[in-house]
Amino acid sequence: MNTAAWVGAIADIFSLYNILVLIGGVLLGIFIGAMPGMSSVMGLSIMLPFTFKLRGIASIIMLLGIFSGSIYGGSISAILINTPGTSASAATAMDGYPMAVKMRQPGRALGISTFSSMFGGVFSCIVLIFGATYLSKVALNFNAPEFFALAMFGISIITGVSGKSVLKGLIGGCFGLLLATVGADNFTGHYRFTFGNSFLRGGFTLVPVLIGVFAFAQALKLIEENYNEGKRDVQTHLERVFPTKDDLKAILPTVLRSSILGTLIGAIPGTGGDIACWVGYNTAKQFSKHPEKFGHGAPDGIAASEAANNAIAGGAFVPLLSLGIPGDAGSAVMMGALTMLGITAGPLLFVDQPQKAYDIFLGLLMANILMGVFGFLLARIYGK
């Protein structure tokens, strides 16, 4: 490694100006992620023009903060109101909301989510720093057969998360496949099942479907409960915001396993946090000694989803920086920002501009650490 470049990168990241910019980016990312309907890609796209006013590497640092913070922020609304802020937190709602409401332990749920998110993000950054070259070779070997196998594995997860009602899960999966056929065909360009409606030509995008499935259903459920039971006092007091030693001991194997899975999935171009969270959740359920507890407030369910979806951050930068190929939609926006700032992602980046690469490494690492710090410090505010 280039020692001089590392020293320069450390000086860049730990300057007061860049630290303040990074803090602002992380807080903004958490806020964007916690708003149902917003996503990390949308947040990055909206804030990209504003970063051009920042000097030096600060624009990239701010985008890294938004990228990391928004993935974690989605778990806040998933846990507290059963509405994932981003698609990457959909699996978190499966156990996060029951723990927060039925078990009346919102602080515990947020604490497990925050710890798992920070662990997954930091783990993937360490892998990015020391193993980018090796993981890029793995990503290059993914061709059509591997992507088909990954897609089939994703569909098979339906049976794992359906619980006792496998039939309902299969019906939901088939309905999802039918929704995916609406719009322009990726190969021929022909419009399918649009019924002459121009609004359907783009198909059903993930965020509106997510809002319809989770937010609208939850709104109807709350209206029904308030109508039947009258006005209720909602618990906003969080008993504690940091996981207990017993919780940490119980979830640590799951967090480590999901972090590895999330990093590997993130390194595969064309994937993302929405795939990683379900793969991590399903794997945790398969390895669990008490799979019947999943869906009813299992700590492993929250930890698996959050560790996996946050670990894709470091994984997605592996093909981006080493090959010039974005790992997911968020890193594609980041690639555009790098290009606009005169930083060419690819194999020559580490030769021509090594300090810029190390700036990104350290910036992403610090963003995930700050994300965890603010997650614990502001958890009581989230509860309100």
Side-chain angles (χ1 to χ4, degrees):
M1 291 188 178
N2 192 322
T3 305
W6 271 110
V7 172
I10 292 172
D12 281 344
I13 297 299
F14 289 97
S15 68
L16 179 61
Y17 178 76
N18 286 339
I19 285 291
L20 292 175
V21 168
L22 185 59
I23 290 173
V26 170
L27 290 174
L28 185 61
I30 293 174
F31 175 73
I32 290 171
M35 293 178 63
M38 295 288 283
S39 64
S40 58
V41 180
M42 197 178 297
L44 288 169
S45 302
I46 292 172
M47 293 306 301
L48 181 58
F50 296 97
T51 61
F52 294 145
K53 289 291 184 180
L54 302 176
R55 62 174 186 263
I57 198 68
S59 55
I60 295 298
I61 291 174
M62 185 172 199
L63 292 175
L64 289 172
I66 295 172
F67 184 55
S68 301
S70 59
I71 298 174
Y72 160 69
S75 67
I76 298 171
S77 50
I79 290 170
L80 297 178
I81 60 173
N82 200 25
T83 305
T86 63
S87 58
S89 298
T92 307
M94 299 282 287
D95 287 280
Y97 186 71
M99 181 180 286
V101 176
K102 294 181 181 178
M103 298 172 65
R104 302 187 69 81
Q105 295 176 329
R108 184 189 179 197
L110 287 173
I112 292 172
S113 167
T114 303
F115 173 80
S116 304
S117 299
M118 183 172 65
F119 187 99
V122 171
F123 177 88
S124 69
C125 291
I126 295 172
V127 173
L128 172 65
I129 294 171
F130 294 103
T133 305
Y134 304 104
L135 278 178
S136 62
K137 294 178 181 178
V138 175
L140 276 177
N141 290 327
F142 257 75
N143 294 312
E146 287 78 15
F147 278 110
F148 176 77
L150 184 64
M152 292 304 297
F153 176 70
I155 294 174
S156 69
I157 290 176
I158 294 171
T159 59
V161 299
S162 297
K164 296 180 180 179
S165 183
V166 178
L167 180 60
K168 289 183 180 179
L170 291 174
I171 293 173
C174 291
F175 184 66
L177 289 173
L178 288 174
L179 290 180
T181 62
V182 177
D185 183 82
N186 292 329
F187 296 100
T188 65
H190 292 295
Y191 294 117
R192 305 170 301 181
F193 306 112
T194 59
F195 305 104
N197 192 326
S198 60
F199 294 105
L200 292 177
R201 290 183 177 182
F204 292 99
T205 53
L206 189 58
V207 172
V209 172
L210 192 72
I211 296 300
V213 170
F214 285 94
F216 187 66
Q218 181 64 18
L220 292 178
K221 183 179 179 181
L222 290 175
I223 291 172
E224 181 187 11
E225 289 177 355
N226 288 332
Y227 179 79
N228 292 333
E229 301 176 15
K231 187 175 180 181
R232 298 176 302 160
D233 292 328
V234 180
Q235 180 185 2
T236 57
H237 174 70
L238 274 62
E239 66 287 352
R240 61 179 297 146
V241 295
F242 195 84
T244 63
K245 290 182 180 179
D246 291 338
D247 276 340
L248 289 175
K249 185 179 179 181
I251 67 173
L252 197 56
T254 299
V255 170
L256 182 59
R257 187 191 313 114
S258 294
S259 297
I260 296 171
L261 285 172
T263 304
L264 292 174
I265 291 171
I268 301 170
T271 58
D274 46 347
I275 296 175
C277 74
W278 286 110
V279 172
Y281 184 88
N282 185 62
T283 306
K285 188 175 182 180
Q286 290 177 341
F287 276 86
S288 176
K289 295 179 181 178
H290 302 283
E292 71 280 356
K293 293 184 178 180
F294 278 68
H296 302 283
D300 282 346
I302 303 171
S305 171
E306 285 305 302
N309 64 24
N310 281 272
I312 65 108
F317 275 87
V318 170
L320 173 63
L321 296 180
S322 58
L323 303 173
I325 302 172
D328 64 350
S331 58
V333 177
M334 291 296 302
M335 184 176 179
L338 291 173
T339 304
M340 291 178 186
L341 293 168
I343 303 174
T344 304
L348 294 179
L349 175 63
F350 297 92
V351 177
D352 299 336
Q353 298 173 300
Q355 184 172 325
K356 299 295 184 183
Y358 299 154
D359 281 335
I360 295 172
F361 288 167
L362 289 177
L364 190 61
L365 179 63
M366 286 301 300
N368 280 282
I369 292 173
L370 288 173
M371 173 196 72
V373 171
F374 287 121
F376 287 120
L377 289 178
L378 303 178
R380 297 186 187 280
I381 297 176
Y382 304 152
K384 295 184 181 298

